Structure formats: C-alpha cells, structure tokens
Amino acid sequence: MVLGAGLGPLLSGVLPETAPAPTVTVEAVLLATAVLTVLRMPLRRPGAAGTGAWIRVPGVPRGNGRHLALGIAVFAPGITATSFVLSLGPSLLSGLPGTTSRTVAGATAFVMFLAAAGAQFAVQRLLRRTILTAGAAATTLSMLTLVTAVHTASAPALIISALLAGTGQGMGQLGGLSLLNTVVPPHRLAEANAALNIGGYLPAGLLPVLTGYLSDTIGLTRATTLFGATLAALAVAGALTVRTSKPHLTDPA
C-alpha cells in the first residue's frame, strides 16, 4: 500500500515530462488493471446477511478506547504531515530555486513513503512506547524543519522535512496497529483498524485543506508556519500522552 502511495506521485511527476500520452491516459490504464484484479479476486459472498445499521462508525470494544486513542495521538499528526507534503508540497517546491520540475515533487513524495516503510522495518523489534514516542518526535522535527524550509527557501530542508514526516507516519501506524492487534479480539480487529485510520485521516484531510484556503489570505509561508506549529504541538501532546500511559506499551511491536 505504501509503495502504491509513493509510486502515484512519482509517476505523476515523471510522466508529464517524459510520456508521449497524457497522464490521464496512463492513469486510466492503471485503474483498469486494478478493476480487473479486483474482479478476479477469489472473495466469496458472506453466507449470512449482516445485522445492525447499514452505516455505522467503526469503534473498538469497551475498555479499548484508550488504546485506540494512543495510536491516533501519534498516527494522526504523522499522516497529516505526509498529507501536507502531498497536497501543498509541490506548491512550496515550485517557489524555490531550481525545483520547478514536477519530477522533483513526485520523487520527494516517493522517498517520503519509502521512509515510512523503512522505518517500520527498522523499529519493529522495539518497545511500542519507544516506537510511538520516536514517531511523535519525528513528526515534531518534520514540522520544525518545514517551517525552517519556508523561511529560508531551502529545498533540501523541505525534502528532509518530508522524510521525517514519512518516518513519523510509519512509526505511528506501526505502533497503533500493533497495540490494537494485541488487545482487540480477532473478530473486531478489522473494525478497530478502520477506527484508527479514520482517526488519522480526518485531520489529514481537514488541516492541509484549511491551510490551503488560509494561504490564499495570508500567504503560503505564514499559513505553512501556522500549520507546522499546530501539528508540532499535537505531536508533542501525543508523545506526552504515550510517555504517561502504561497499557501494553512495554511489549515489542
């Protein structure tokens, strides 16, 4: 999944500058192959109809809410940071010297997601508390580097910020999912994982969009600074929450 998330921006940057066909044509071909793959998947229809409301908000069993909250406290700032890079990162890069190429913007997003995957492999044997704390720290450093980048017009700093954002997302996702997989019964795991993702993707969708609108009023530099400060504060709060909590955090992921 992370590989696909990284390849999408990379192809979106490379294809317009190299491919003979429009990017939308290549995208249509990729989507068509995805549809064919899904149609051929050996998935059987459930034997019995589900019960309860057709639409409901995913959750966790009673007593596991604090575990879900711990995961969201770190995962949400991390994935919000990577969402910012995907949405407004190209606009920031285009204003920096020597970074007008779409390939640079796509490659930045690609290495960001590689960092997310690599971080998960690198820290999977560490304690959950360590993983979550390190994830929050990476996100905080990412935002500090982001603010530095926009005020100094530094492309390398912006790329470093993206790498740190990917690292923060990867660790937050690993720590949160590992924690839920330990405490939630197997028949509720899918729902619990969905709840974790909703808790992360809500701010990841809202905050970058709000920053984009705000940038039309006060400028991209000021809006990015406000975004970075807000997200850094949330990441620090997440780290403090993890450090002061005890449930199932002293086991390896």
Side-chain angles (χ1 to χ4, degrees), residues 7-8 10-12 14-16 18-34:
L7 284 175
L10 180 63
L11 292 175
S12 297
V14 173
L15 292 178
T18 60
T23 304
V24 66
T25 303
V26 180
E27 180 72 9
V29 172
L30 291 174
L31 289 175
T33 60

Side-chain angles (χ1 to χ4, degrees), residues 168-185:
Q169 176 192 327
M171 291 185 181
Q173 189 172 29
L174 174 64
L177 288 175
S178 173
L179 186 57
L180 292 177
N181 289 345
T182 300
V183 300
V184 176

Side-chain angles (χ1 to χ4, degrees), residues 104-149:
V104 174
T108 299
F110 179 68
V111 296
M112 176 179 70
F113 283 114
L114 285 185
Q120 292 181 341
F121 283 106
V123 304
Q124 60 181 326
R125 295 185 182 277
L126 300 180
L127 302 182
R128 295 191 188 96
R129 176 179 283 116
T130 303
I131 294 172
L132 289 170
T133 303
T139 302
T140 303
L141 290 175
S142 171
M143 292 300 99
L144 296 177
T145 309
L146 174 65
V147 173
T148 301

Side-chain angles (χ1 to χ4, degrees), residues 1 40 66 85 112 180 231-232:
M1 184 176 68
R40 294 182 60 85
R66 58 180 178 174
V85 174
M112 176 179 70
L180 292 177
L231 203 62

Side-chain angles (χ1 to χ4, degrees), residues 23 36 53 57-58 78 83 93 95 106 111 121 218 239 245:
T23 304
L36 292 175
V57 178
S83 295
L93 279 170
V111 296
F121 283 106
I218 64 175
S245 300

Side-chain angles (χ1 to χ4, degrees), residues 58-76:
V60 293
R62 185 180 299 275
N64 295 139
R66 58 180 178 174
H67 305 106
L68 175 63
L70 285 173
I72 291 176
V74 178
F75 175 51

